[in-house]
Amino acid sequence: MMSDNHRLPIIHLDLDAFFASVEQRDNPIHQGKPLIVGGISDGGRGNLQRGVVCAASYEARKYGIYAGMPIWEAHQKCPKGVFLPARLNKYIKESRKFFQICSDYTPLIEPLGLDELFLDISGCEALFGSSEIIAKKIKERVNQELGLKVSAGIAQNKLLAKIATNLGKPDGFFTLYPEDVPKILYPLPLSSLWGIGKKTEERLKKSGIYLIGQLAQIPEPVLENLLGKNGKRLKLLAQGLDNSSVTIPTSKKSISKETTFSANITERNILIKELLKLSQEVGYYARKEGYQGRTVTLKLRFHNFTTLNKSITLENPTHIDENIFKIALKLLDKIKIKKGGVRLLGIKLSNLTCSNQLIQLNLLNNKENKWVQLTYTLDRLREKYGFTAITRATLLEQEKIED
Ligand SMILES: [Mg+2]
């Protein structure tokens, strides 16, 4: 199956009973015992009566104790359990070490809390081997270096990788191959689907739908009747289809460029040329800083200072000039240019995510690839000769961009 591995670039990792495992590791006397982390100390003898369970060791889970349960209830279920207050700072330190180990294999890491993350190893196989080899290596290192257990799921997308992890827990290692998706996914309860809310689940159950397989087979119109717009998305998820990418969290909100004209512009062609230039600038800085955005906003300020913002949100993020330009042009087409003309024109790319260029190249289809290659070639020239030296204004003239 090794040759198939390029189809399975996503690894999901989840530390087993994280907080509780850190406590058991640091206090070997608690190993093998039901241990519950959480609650607020009363300052006396560590009696924890208030608050909720933050984490329960696997031994405690056998008593029916789970995270979120009130501490008093956990006490009732397991009076002899070890109850400890949470040491959040300690857990944050351990979490950082865990993330550090993972980042030795790919920069594309999406955290889901302190103890869970996705890795996308596309393009890293040549260096470190298949996703299975990388996941095994990380498991080994987490065990040796941190003294903790981590479960791993490997699949073609995030949804399936997370399901795979849960199927193997604890200390799990599960590869979910595309051809096995119906066999493995369909018998699972709806709650196994990441992204299905409690309300939606209730509504589906009322209609007699309990399993993922049932949801996957409902005709789309029926589902849309039942759940509205969300129906289509959930049907795709139930079929194991998820095209969301592994996304590095980013603090940057948007990238924008604007031009104030020295004289107000009434001629649409001049605005289009300016849009091309602005798209190139926004795209260039997005690529340079490693961002992609899903929302393109066109900003127009008229002679009388009234300002118009119009935007379109794409399904997939982009940082390619041509894509940004096409959207901006589409937005401009919808706007009637006032007689007094335009004094300011701007483009903003927002809804940003960080992304690895290599992966982006892999994902793009052939038609788009031409633009991608051209874009990167232009970037290299710009690095050499400066931004203003290279624009695609001349290409614009040859290309017949109409209405
Ligand atoms: Mg966990």
Side-chain angles (χ1 to χ4, degrees), residues 154-199:
I154 296 154
Q156 58 191 328
N157 62 39
K158 283 160 67 176
L159 172 83
L160 293 173
K162 194 169 158 77
I163 286 172
T165 302
N166 285 328
L167 290 172
K169 259 179 171 303
D171 198 14
F173 184 89
F174 197 102
T175 306
L176 185 38
Y177 294 101
E179 55 272 31
D180 294 336
V181 165
K183 194 178 78 196
I184 291 174
L185 194 62
Y186 286 3
L188 296 175
L190 292 176
S191 55
S192 308
L193 263 195
W194 190 38
I196 203 163
K198 272 265 167 283
K199 269 191 190 163

Side-chain angles (χ1 to χ4, degrees), residues 12-19 58 61 112 114-116 149-151 165-166 169:
H12 174 257
L13 293 162
D14 187 356
L15 291 165
D16 296 331
F18 178 36
F19 298 175
Y58 280 94
R61 291 182 197 188
L112 290 175
L114 290 175
D115 64 333
E116 226 184 303
K149 294 240 163 49
V150 63
S151 291
T165 302
N166 285 328
K169 259 179 171 303

Side-chain angles (χ1 to χ4, degrees), residues 258-304:
E258 37 184 68
T259 303
T260 304
F261 299 108
S262 47
N264 295 341
I265 306 293
T266 48
E267 208 182 318
R268 201 170 274 269
N269 266 343
I270 298 177
L271 294 177
I272 290 173
K273 272 193 184 169
E274 194 58 33
L275 274 191
L276 181 66
K277 193 182 131 228
L278 291 168
S279 309
Q280 289 173 346
E281 286 179 8
V282 167
Y284 177 69
Y285 286 106
R287 290 189 298 279
K288 207 173 156 178
E289 292 174 29
Y291 289 107
Q292 294 195 73
R294 280 180 59 220
T295 304
V296 176
T297 305
L298 176 71
K299 179 178 174 183
L300 266 176
R301 184 166 293 151
F302 293 105
H303 65 289
N304 59 1

Side-chain angles (χ1 to χ4, degrees), residues 53-104:
V53 174
C54 294
S57 71
Y58 280 94
E59 296 85 358
R61 291 182 197 188
K62 284 185 192 147
Y63 290 84
I65 298 170
Y66 53 85
M69 172 183 280
I71 287 281
W72 62 262
E73 199 182 335
H75 255 296
Q76 259 177 8
K77 285 185 185 284
C78 183
K80 288 196 172 155
V82 180
F83 288 79
L84 296 173
R87 293 186 295 155
L88 205 55
N89 285 337
K90 179 75 189 170
Y91 310 144
I92 291 171
K93 263 189 204 152
E94 296 301 308
S95 168
R96 276 201 198 120
K97 290 183 203 161
F98 168 51
F99 280 51
Q100 195 62 48
I101 290 174
C102 296
S103 68
D104 283 349

